[in-house]
Amino acid sequence: MDNIELRNESPSHGETRKFEPLPRPSLEFTPEVEAETRHLYERVKHVVTPMEWPHYAPLIKAINDLKKERNAVILAHNYMTPEVFHCVGDFQGDSLQLAKEAGKVDADVIVQAGVHFMAETSKLMNPDKTVLIPDLEAGCSLASSITAEDVRQLRKAYPGVPIVTYVNTSAAVKAECDICCTSSNAVKVVESLGAPRVLCIPDEYLAKYVQTQTDVEIISWKGHCEVHKLFSAEEIETMREAEPGLKVIAHPECPPEVIEVADFTGSTSGMINWTKDNKPAKVMLVTECSMSSNVAAELPETEFIRPCNLCPHMKRISLEKILDSLLYMQHEVTVDPDVAQRARLAVERMVNLTN
Ligand code: 13P
Ligand code: SF4
């Protein structure tokens, strides 16, 4: 059996780590698999049908066994589908929570059940670990809207103006910026700089939302989330008319007209916490569709009205691909050491500020 060679970027070690590819486990739904995964089905029984479970259960058992064998943990973003989020994820959360969690991981391997910039952030937070993304194509329209060269040009165009980068960017972009932010702390990060003007890149709508919350002058970039930009105020008004008493909770990546008519705006975890705390009879989470299923699994009494916009990048991360990622140790995410050093500073400044 060939060994798969993976480069270990750790400055303290620097050696090549070798991983044996493991044989594919049986994926039969046997009585033993049913018994071993029954407690996990309890977590998702409100959102996963009994017909679907015989397909998911063997994959879930195989992944959970492999995590032990590889000494791996799975960091699952709030947009993962329920069988990933509730049944194989070791830590769940929004971008900020996952970045902080990545920094604390003790295991050898981090599997990022999320998109590529999140895997890069995990690598920045914990460079000695092997970070895997189950599908290399899991990108983000915001991250691809701006390059490191674009940021260098912005520096020239706005000398002396601090640059805050949304976490939804490549490590190369973060390396050119002063500090990072996420949707849960953008206003705090901007105000921490003590500057009269701040560049907030690359999400134009997040920048506009921040502008409504601060006196600091915000300069934005024209990047958008391809999922959130699809929502409209008209769609929300139509839903409100059709569903009396409906509470509408929006992510700050939504267009300003949507945020204006929402009852609450916050990060994905902010939205989840609002829903759990307020337990509305009917709620619409104006964000990626799977998140409603994840919350619905825990709140069967609440009715979720779902405008179903899926993130095609997040949806690339399936149980099948997570299994392959642990069997074959694919796909390792590395960051050039010079870029990593500068990008880490931007992320650490944010984390220190919000700790
Ligand atoms: P959160 O930081 O709110 O989880 O957002 C990440 C994201 O990609 C939203 O589209
Ligand atoms: Fe990027 Fe939008 Fe997908 Fe979030 S939902 S990962 S911002 S494309």
Side-chain angles (χ1 to χ4, degrees):
M1 203 183 289
D2 283 347
N3 280 348
I4 301 171
E5 291 211 341
L6 295 173
R7 201 156 50 85
N8 177 353
E9 274 203 329
S10 156
S12 52
H13 302 102
E15 83 279 15
T16 301
R17 240 182 231 166
K18 291 189 196 305
F19 292 99
E20 292 261 322
L22 295 167
R24 287 193 82 72
S26 154
L27 294 176
E28 243 184 279
F29 186 55
T30 59
E32 293 74 39
V33 172
E34 194 279 327
E36 254 193 71
T37 56
R38 202 174 298 146
H39 68 292
L40 294 173
Y41 188 59
E42 278 302 303
R43 294 186 192 167
V44 292
K45 65 181 180 193
H46 299 299
V47 290
V48 172
T49 65
M51 293 247 295
E52 292 170 291
W53 191 245
H55 172 69
Y56 291 146
L59 287 160
I60 289 167
K61 175 174 159 31
I63 290 168
N64 287 334
D65 288 347
L66 270 170
K67 282 193 305 195
K68 289 186 202 132
E69 197 154 348
R70 293 293 199 194
N71 192 19
V73 293
I74 297 182
L75 303 186
H77 185 260
N78 290 326
Y79 290 164
M80 289 294 104
T81 46
E83 69 282 3
V84 171
F85 187 83
H86 288 290
C87 301
V88 300
D90 296 291
F91 301 100
Q92 294 87 355
D94 64 11
S95 307
L96 179 64
Q97 290 167 321
L98 294 185
K100 286 183 172 176
E101 230 24 89
K104 292 188 248 166
V105 166
D106 221 15
D108 294 327
V109 179
I110 296 173
V111 179
Q112 197 80 37
V115 292
H116 193 268
F117 76 81
M118 294 177 178
E120 275 193 339
T121 307
S122 292
K123 185 71 183 172
L124 297 178
M125 295 300 289
N126 211 334
D128 284 357
K129 306 301 171 190
T130 298
V131 177
L132 303 175
I133 182 110
D135 187 324
L136 269 177
E137 302 287 308
C140 169
S141 67
L142 280 169
S144 56
S145 75
I146 192 159
T147 64
E149 180 52 27
D150 290 328
V151 184
R152 288 191 284 271
Q153 293 302 325
L154 283 172
R155 278 251 186 249
K156 281 191 200 148
Y158 295 94
V161 179
I163 306 182
V164 176
T165 177
Y166 192 29
V167 71
N168 297 39
T169 47
S170 65
V173 164
K174 289 185 180 80
E176 301 295 330
C177 297
D178 297 291
I179 188 165
C180 197
C181 78
T182 73
S183 56
S184 66
N185 58 26
V187 177
K188 190 172 180 171
V189 167
V190 162
E191 295 196 331
S192 76
L193 297 168
R197 283 210 300 174
V198 169
L199 273 147
C200 232
I201 60 159
D203 187 353
E204 184 187 15
Y205 295 154
L206 177 70
K208 287 199 165 156
Y209 170 68
V210 173
Q211 188 64 90
T212 66
Q213 310 291 307
T214 182
D215 291 333
V216 177
E217 185 193 337
I218 305 293
I219 306 162
S220 61
W221 181 257
K222 282 257 180 250
H224 300 113
C225 162
E226 65 188 88
V227 180
H228 289 87
K229 75 172 185 188
L230 300 177
F231 295 110
S232 70
E234 201 185 354
E235 182 185 6
I236 288 164
E237 291 309 343
T238 308
M239 290 289 195
R240 278 202 198 274
E241 273 166 37
E243 305 284 348
L246 180 68
K247 291 291 177 198
V248 176
I249 314 299
H251 194 275
E253 288 171 13
C254 290
E257 51 156 37
V258 169
I259 292 176
E260 238 167 71
V261 297
D263 297 297
F264 174 79
T265 300
S267 76
T268 53
S269 288
M271 296 169 82
I272 294 173
N273 291 341
W274 189 96
T275 309
K276 285 183 179 170
D277 292 347
N278 292 278
K279 294 195 176 53
K282 266 186 223 175
V283 71
M284 180 161 97
L285 304 182
V286 189
T287 192
E288 211 270 353
C289 187
S290 294
M291 204 171 89
S292 295
S293 307
N294 289 333
V295 194
E298 294 181 64
L299 291 184
E301 310 292 295
T302 297
E303 187 184 347
F304 287 80
I305 308 297
R306 301 178 202 203
C308 210
N309 291 341
L310 289 167
C311 172
H313 310 288
M314 291 278 183
K315 297 295 91 104
R316 285 179 177 276
I317 310 300
S318 59
L319 288 176
E320 285 83 352
K321 286 192 191 151
I322 293 174
L323 176 67
D324 281 356
S325 136
L326 283 164
L327 283 174
Y328 309 122
M329 296 303 283
Q330 64 191 22
H331 304 272
E332 192 186 9
V333 174
T334 58
V335 183
D336 171 83
D338 170 55
V339 169
Q341 199 190 3
R342 290 179 293 131
R344 190 174 301 122
L345 274 180
V347 179
E348 278 174 358
R349 279 188 194 122
M350 165 186 79
V351 169
N352 292 341
L353 192 72
T354 54
N355 263 345

